[in-house]
Amino acid sequence: MQGEQRARTIFLVLWTLITAVKLVVAARLPLFVDEAFYWQEGQHLAAAYSDLPGLTAWLARLGVEMGGQHVLALRLPFLAIGALLPWLVSRTATRWFGAVAGWQAGSLTLLMPLSATLGMLAVPDVPMALAAVLCLDAGARLLRTVDAAAAVKLALGLMIGALSHYRFIGVIVVGFIVLLLLPQGRRTLRDPRVWVALAVGVMAWLPLLAWNADNQDAGLKFQVVDRHPWAFQWSGLWFLVIQPMLVTPILCIAMWKVALAGTRSGGGARAQWRYFGLVGAVSTLAIFALGFFTDVERISFHWPLPGYLALLVAVPVVLNGWPRWLRRTGWWLAGTGLALAFGYYLMASTPSLREQLAGYKYYPRNFAGWAPLAHAVRDELAAMPPGTRVLAGNFKVGAELGFQLDDPRIDVLRHPLNDKHGRTAQLGLWGLLHEGQRDAPMLLVLSPSDQRYRDLLEQYHDVCAQVGPLPPPRVVSQDHGFQRFLLFRLPAARAEGPCVTPAMAWFDTPQSDAVVGDSVEIRGWAFKDGVGLSRVDVLLDGRPATTAVYGRPYDVTGFWKISNDPQHPNVGFDAKVDTRGLAPGRHWLGLVLHGNDGSVETWQEQPLVVPER
């Protein structure tokens, strides 16, 4: 009893503290771009959408209807589900392995970074995890005896999963395979009540199937075909490397011991032990194998979570058989991993801290700059004729601005990102895909940070083809320009003439994070299609440092073949900046590009390092 009381107290303390921290972080963290689109889908209620079944959008709509237009309100239903999950895992583990192991399984769910942070973002993995745990618990109960309560729970889990994500099909397949592998599972599948539950689960897929039938299978093609290369890629190894870090190493070893133990036969509770182990093993191994063939460009580290939750149910039994020092190390490592995960989200939610990540691989750009952009958009709209509408360059800008401005009907230009993320069909159904024609002024908002630099000029020319030559932009720059937006006041009548684009530039020297001496030599190129540049100013830490000599011969048209800057090939610049007055440490080198059309554009900054003298 004393061990049970201690385990229960630890769980309750952890649950209270971690839930409180999640609420604080969720209230501060700007919307991730996918969350913003789910909000937009929730403002256009439907049974299913191009990228997902309906549940995520419905929950997002429920949140803002209850709490208003605020990020915390949007996330509240997801936070509630995330707070419920440790209790469900704990209850499942208690049923089969005792109260102490049950409370410990709940505590580990609260500490493992992948499950602990669940709910802070309004994403479909939250209800899908709930569905997986419900099905897991129902399956374990059905192995012992088939009854109405377990069948109803299975049906409920299958329904929630079907309404959450296409990926839940994998959870169903894994569960079915495991039941076939177990003698008790094969007996369970002979009961008609189980098949009634399965039939209810199948019915929940009908809205998604109907949407695809009405839209040339656009959603199914995107999820299964378009987004995946389906060719072997060695980069899939990173998936295997990062997973032990995300679940913490010792906990990862314990979960794999559960998986291995699941391959051993036995009677009594051993059937449930094998069930949890096999569900986790088959699920995670399948995802690890698919990682070599599927999409590696977008976030996928959370895919194995349903399998990990199955393994966590039995992990306390493994841990309790280890030496005390190893158990404690495992618990402390899990807590450290959670602290690091929360630290990352806190950094992403704090502008002064987020700025420190600029230039690094893990800079959270999709969280950055939306509130300042909305402020600038409001300013521009106030200075334009009444009734001026916003025109977004891609779905990310349209959704994020839509949430900030409480306008779910912002028009969006055609853009490769809309296709890449499976949102083009949905925008078309809403009538928000804009072809560029207009009979009134519009405020065009582009996000060049969303484009690979080598493709940026081509994208600018594509925008020109849709809306005409671009007027001088207003630049909204965040975090040293690693998140940049360009705002253009488009006149009612389309302008004629050659394509005019925003300026482009590049530093040849110094390299990023170069260590400099008493001065730094700066060389590079810059151009502006359609009109050319008149001047290039150099900034150091955001302050004017010097004016570069601009117009040196530098032919870049070998790469930028479509460029129509009239000053080619004389687009090179060079300058020299004295750094003796700078304190040791990291500093930022920037450019201000002055166009012959009167435009003034700040360019993305580049870090340099002044050493100790």
Side-chain angles (χ1 to χ4, degrees):
M1 287 296 294
Q2 185 177 0
E4 178 184 342
Q5 182 61 38
R6 182 171 181 271
R8 179 176 181 273
T9 301
I10 291 173
F11 172 83
L12 292 175
V13 170
L14 285 174
W15 185 88
T16 302
L17 290 176
I18 291 169
T19 302
V21 172
K22 287 168 71 172
L23 284 167
V24 172
V25 174
R28 292 169 48 87
L29 187 68
L31 276 193
F32 189 72
V33 289
D34 285 339
E35 291 181 280
F37 195 77
Y38 302 146
W39 165 84
Q40 190 173 16
E41 288 178 329
Q43 300 302 303
H44 299 83
L45 286 175
Y49 302 90
S50 67
D51 54 340
L52 289 176
L55 184 57
T56 304
W58 305 340
L59 291 172
R61 177 65 178 269
L62 176 64
V64 293
E65 288 293 328
M66 291 191 307
Q69 196 73 5
H70 189 276
V71 291
L72 180 59
L74 178 87
R75 292 166 173 157
L76 271 179
F78 300 86
L79 286 163
I81 293 172
L84 175 64
L85 275 173
W87 291 91
L88 295 178
V89 172
S90 175
R91 185 174 179 181
T92 301
T94 298
R95 180 177 289 113
W96 305 111
F97 306 114
V100 173
W103 292 118
Q104 290 175 340
S107 295
L108 288 170
T109 307
L110 287 164
L111 290 177
M112 187 177 75
L114 272 183
S115 53
T117 55
L118 209 63
M120 288 198 303
L121 299 182
V123 292
D125 297 272
V126 181
M128 195 171 92
L130 171 64
V133 171
L134 289 174
C135 290
L136 183 75
D137 183 48
R141 292 175 60 182
L142 289 169
L143 289 177
R144 183 181 60 185
T145 180
V146 178
D147 57 32
V152 168
K153 178 173 280 191
L154 177 62
L156 178 62
L158 291 172
M159 288 177 59
I160 294 173
L163 295 171
S164 298
H165 203 288
Y166 286 85
R167 271 190 282 113
F168 193 74
I169 295 173
V171 177
I172 296 173
V173 170
V174 168
F176 195 75
I177 290 173
V178 171
L179 289 178
L180 289 176
L181 289 174
L182 297 171
Q184 298 88 341
R186 295 192 290 273
R187 184 190 65 229
T188 297
L189 289 174
R190 290 194 289 267
D191 193 292
R193 287 169 292 185
V194 174
W195 286 98
V196 170
L198 293 174
V200 172
V202 169
M203 295 288 288
W205 290 98
L206 291 180
L208 194 62
L209 293 173
W211 189 96
N212 278 279
D214 291 339
N215 293 277
Q216 297 77 49
D217 294 323
L220 190 61
K221 287 177 181 176
F222 167 71
Q223 292 288 352
V224 179
V225 180
D226 297 340
R227 69 175 293 183
H228 302 297
W230 295 119
F232 185 82
Q233 45 197 341
W234 284 106
S235 53
L237 286 171
W238 284 110
F239 193 83
L240 302 180
V241 172
I242 199 173
Q243 287 302 312
M245 301 299 104
L246 292 173
V247 300
T248 66
I250 292 179
L251 190 54
C252 183
I253 294 170
M255 286 195 289
W256 280 111
K257 283 187 70 69
V258 172
L260 289 173
T263 62
R264 302 170 191 156
S265 61
R270 173 58 66 179
Q272 280 72 26
W273 176 277
R274 292 192 66 201
Y275 170 72
F276 297 131
L278 286 173
V279 167
V282 174
S283 174
T284 51
L285 284 173
I287 290 172
F288 287 173
L290 287 172
F292 288 96
F293 301 91
T294 52
D295 178 17
V296 296
E297 292 187 27
R298 278 157 288 194
I299 296 173
S300 58
F301 60 76
H302 54 285
W303 287 7
L305 179 59
Y308 290 156
L309 291 172
L311 297 171
L312 274 181
V313 171
V315 157
V317 181
V318 171
L319 287 179
N320 291 332
W322 288 358
R324 185 177 181 184
W325 68 269
L326 188 56
R327 294 200 306 270
R328 287 193 169 186
T329 303
W331 284 90
W332 281 108
L333 276 178
T336 302
L338 175 60
L340 291 173
F342 277 145
Y344 179 79
Y345 282 116
L346 282 170
M347 183 171 287
S349 66
T350 307
S352 60
L353 296 177
R354 187 182 62 233
E355 184 180 354
Q356 303 304 312
L357 289 178
Y360 294 113
K361 179 180 179 180
Y362 296 104
Y363 170 67
R365 189 175 55 77
N366 280 319
F367 291 108
W370 302 111
L373 172 63
H375 181 75
V377 166
R378 291 187 186 98
D379 284 348
E380 293 295 303
L381 290 176
M384 297 180 72
T388 299
R389 287 190 52 78
V390 176
L391 176 59
N394 60 52
F395 85 91
K396 292 184 178 182
V397 176
E400 288 280 4
L401 273 180
F403 182 80
Q404 294 285 338
L405 304 176
D406 196 12
D407 181 3
R409 296 203 57 81
I410 291 178
D411 290 331
V412 178
L413 286 177
R414 292 189 177 274
H415 193 286
L417 272 180
N418 303 339
D419 301 329
K420 183 178 179 180
H421 291 265
R423 270 69 192 256
T424 298
Q426 192 61 61
L427 291 168
L429 288 174
W430 291 337
L432 299 183
L433 268 184
H434 199 276
E435 301 295 340
Q437 298 88 358
R438 60 189 184 276
D439 53 13
M442 298 191 79
L443 179 65
L444 172 63
V445 183
L446 299 184
S447 175
S449 304
D450 286 327
Q451 196 76 37
R452 288 187 305 183
Y453 190 61
R454 66 188 184 190
D455 300 326
L456 185 56
L457 185 62
E458 183 179 352
Q459 181 58 37
Y460 283 156
H461 278 258
D462 186 54
V463 172
C464 271
Q466 295 182 71
V467 304
L470 298 174
R474 173 176 174 176
V475 180
V476 179
S477 182
Q478 286 286 301
D479 302 331
H480 304 290
F482 282 84
Q483 179 71 297
R484 292 173 75 239
F485 302 100
L486 304 174
L487 281 61
F488 304 86
R489 298 184 185 183
L490 298 179
R494 178 187 175 113
E496 299 300 327
C499 177
V500 178
T501 72
M504 305 274 289
W506 186 263
F507 288 105
D508 280 337
T509 58
Q511 297 294 310
S512 180
D513 275 321
V515 179
V516 301
D518 291 340
S519 64
V520 56
E521 298 281 348
I522 302 167
R523 290 190 298 275
W525 51 261
F527 64 84
K528 183 176 174 68
D529 272 12
V531 294
L533 295 173
S534 62
R535 192 171 90 238
V536 174
D537 291 335
V538 178
L539 305 179
L540 197 55
D541 293 333
R543 295 184 294 273
T546 188
T547 296
V549 177
Y550 181 69
R552 304 286 197 200
Y554 197 131
D555 191 358
V556 298
T557 55
F559 183 83
W560 304 107
K561 298 182 186 299
I562 63 174
S563 179
N564 65 356
D565 185 315
Q567 296 173 192
H568 282 309
N570 301 314
V571 297
F573 65 83
D574 56 72
K576 185 176 183 178
V577 175
D578 189 337
T579 61
R580 287 175 294 182
L582 297 178
R586 208 175 192 216
H587 296 269
W588 292 88
L589 190 66
L591 298 173
V592 179
L593 309 172
H594 298 262
N596 288 319
D597 59 350
S599 60
V600 179
E601 302 176 41
T602 55
W603 189 249
Q604 177 180 304
E605 298 176 14
Q606 181 167 298
L608 53 84
V609 178
V610 175
E612 294 281 352
R613 294 182 175 88

